[in-house]
């Protein structure tokens, strides 16, 4: 995969899956914009790792749920590089509770962090990429958006919404050569899954045909493919990265 001369913004790239996506895409020759919200030292660390390996990186702070900040940050990127070639909407949260105990605030917080931020990113990317008649967006949804899960009605709604929304954007972007796809990770080792009890992790692992948890790198490679020209005839697609947990 060759991306020389191209740039990408990855939301929530200071740690976990987003940080790995940034490192992998930089290895493929992309200039990566590392978005973070709350911990500059983590974003700096990702930037240093990329630069010490000879890659190009820049840091941009904004809360992806804040429309004004997101738009202003894209302006900064375009002023710096003259364009935005690729976007990865990765920022996301969980706030798990059984539905019977879930308040509207619990529900809305996850919809805002995952679905609303993704909508803002897709809409603004489509505006920019339409003008240049080139671009590709990958949205990090989840296996939970495909099959639901106990205690995750808010998260499932947000991620299922991302999948359906990406397909709608794919229709709108296609005439302008702008592609929208989703990656749906299964059970990936990260801070999000480290909070789970060991017995929950063990039970999940037993039900994964490839018999291991996924790694952030597994997700990053799928993202790189969907962004690349090798996927230039693929839009509106959902690429599962789940070890066979949900086929
Ligand atoms: P993580 O380690 O908790 O990292 C999430 C990242 O998103 C953090 O850098 C966080 O930054 C950022 N973020 C959250 N809300 C944000 C906002 N409003 N604006 C900007 N950044 C924000 O989670 P992860 O496991 O890497 O997950 C990354 C993505 O993959 C998420 O969308 C998640 O739903 C999805 N996913 C994960 C798994 C899994 O098994 N881990 C499975 C399926 C899908 P702060 O620390 O500053 O808040």
């Amino acid at each position: 995969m060759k991306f020389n001369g191209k740039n990408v913004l990855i939301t929530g790239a200071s740690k976990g899956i987003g940080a790995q996506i940034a490192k992998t895409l930089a290895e493929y020759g992309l200039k990566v914009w590392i978005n973070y919200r709350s911990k500059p030292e983590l974003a700096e660390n990702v930037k240093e790792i990329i630069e010490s390996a000879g890659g190009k990186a820049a840091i941009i702070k904004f809360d992806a749920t804040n429309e004004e900040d997101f738009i202003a940050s894209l302006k900064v990127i375009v002023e710096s590089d003259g364009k935005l070639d690729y976007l990865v909407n990765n920022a996301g949260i969980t706030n798990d509770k059984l539905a019977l105990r879930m308040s509207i605030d619990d529900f809305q917080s996850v919809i805002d962090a995952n679905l609303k931020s993704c909508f803002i990113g897709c809409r603004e990317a489509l505006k920019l990429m339409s003008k240049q008649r080139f671009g590709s967006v990958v949205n990090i949804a989840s296996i939970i958006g495909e099959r639901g899960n106990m205690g995750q009605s808010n998260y499932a709604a947000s991620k299922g919404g991302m999948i359906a929304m990406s397909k709608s954007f794919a229709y709108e972007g296609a005439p302008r050569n702008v592609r929208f796809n989703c990656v749906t990770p299964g059970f990936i080792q990260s801070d999000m899954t480290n909070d789970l009890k060991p017995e929950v992790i063990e039970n999940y692992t037993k039900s994964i045909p490839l018999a291991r948890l996924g790694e952030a790198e597994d997700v990053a490679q799928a993202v790189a493919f969907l962004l690349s020209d090798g996927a230039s005839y693929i839009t509106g697609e959902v690429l599962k990265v789940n070890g066979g947990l949900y086929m």
Side-chain angles (χ1 to χ4, degrees):
M1 282 181 278
K2 291 203 183 84
F3 291 102
N4 290 342
K6 301 276 199 272
N7 70 351
V8 60
L9 166 65
I10 303 139
T11 65
S14 56
K15 64 176 181 149
I17 293 172
Q20 185 58 52
I21 293 171
K23 290 176 208 163
T24 300
L25 294 180
E27 280 169 18
Y28 281 121
L30 278 156
K31 172 179 176 182
V32 299
W33 285 86
I34 301 159
N35 160 243
Y36 78 97
R37 177 178 58 164
S38 64
K39 296 191 184 95
E41 66 284 1
L42 295 184
E44 271 301 335
N45 183 41
V46 177
K47 183 171 181 272
E48 271 167 34
I49 292 170
I50 290 172
E51 288 179 339
S52 61
K56 286 189 194 145
I59 294 175
I60 191 139
K61 176 185 194 300
F62 63 92
D63 179 338
T65 64
N66 184 313
E67 185 181 17
E68 253 178 56
D69 284 1
F70 205 146
I71 293 172
S73 301
L74 287 170
K75 202 166 166 239
V76 168
I77 293 172
V78 172
E79 274 166 12
S80 160
D81 295 357
K83 60 176 182 170
L84 178 72
D85 294 305
Y86 305 114
L87 169 67
V88 181
N89 286 305
N90 166 78
I93 63 165
T94 51
N95 186 0
D96 299 352
K97 263 172 212 156
L98 290 175
L100 287 176
R101 295 190 193 133
M102 191 179 286
S103 69
I104 292 298
D105 284 350
D106 293 331
F107 183 80
Q108 194 63 49
S109 63
V110 176
I111 297 292
D112 285 353
N114 300 355
L115 184 57
K116 180 180 148 190
S117 67
C118 181
F119 173 75
I120 298 167
C122 288
R123 187 190 65 194
E124 296 308 310
L126 181 55
K127 283 182 198 164
L128 294 170
M129 293 171 182
S130 288
K131 285 188 206 142
Q132 64 201 27
R133 290 289 193 269
F134 176 84
S136 178
V137 177
V138 172
N139 297 323
I140 309 300
S142 168
I143 186 175
I144 307 303
E146 299 172 301
R147 56 156 227 197
N149 200 23
M150 183 107 171
Q152 292 200 299
S153 53
N154 49 3
Y155 187 74
S158 71
K159 295 297 184 177
M162 283 172 73
I163 293 170
M165 189 175 75
S166 301
K167 293 180 183 183
S168 301
F169 270 101
Y171 279 111
E172 296 188 25
R176 300 168 179 92
N177 193 32
V178 183
R179 298 182 294 109
F180 291 84
N181 290 291
C182 282
V183 169
T184 52
F187 209 139
I188 309 296
Q189 278 174 312
S190 74
D191 284 358
M192 205 175 253
T193 48
N194 288 344
D195 289 346
L196 297 169
K197 291 182 189 137
E199 55 268 30
V200 175
I201 294 184
E202 204 183 308
N203 275 342
Y204 262 114
T205 309
K206 276 186 201 147
S207 57
I208 299 171
L210 286 176
R212 67 168 176 89
L213 298 194
E215 288 169 17
E217 176 71 12
D218 296 317
V219 179
Q221 292 295 345
V223 171
F225 167 66
L226 284 174
L227 291 180
S228 76
D229 284 351
S232 63
Y233 199 52
I234 299 176
T235 195
E237 194 48 79
V238 180
L239 181 49
K240 297 183 180 77
V241 181
N242 64 27
L245 182 59
Y246 180 76
M247 298 188 196

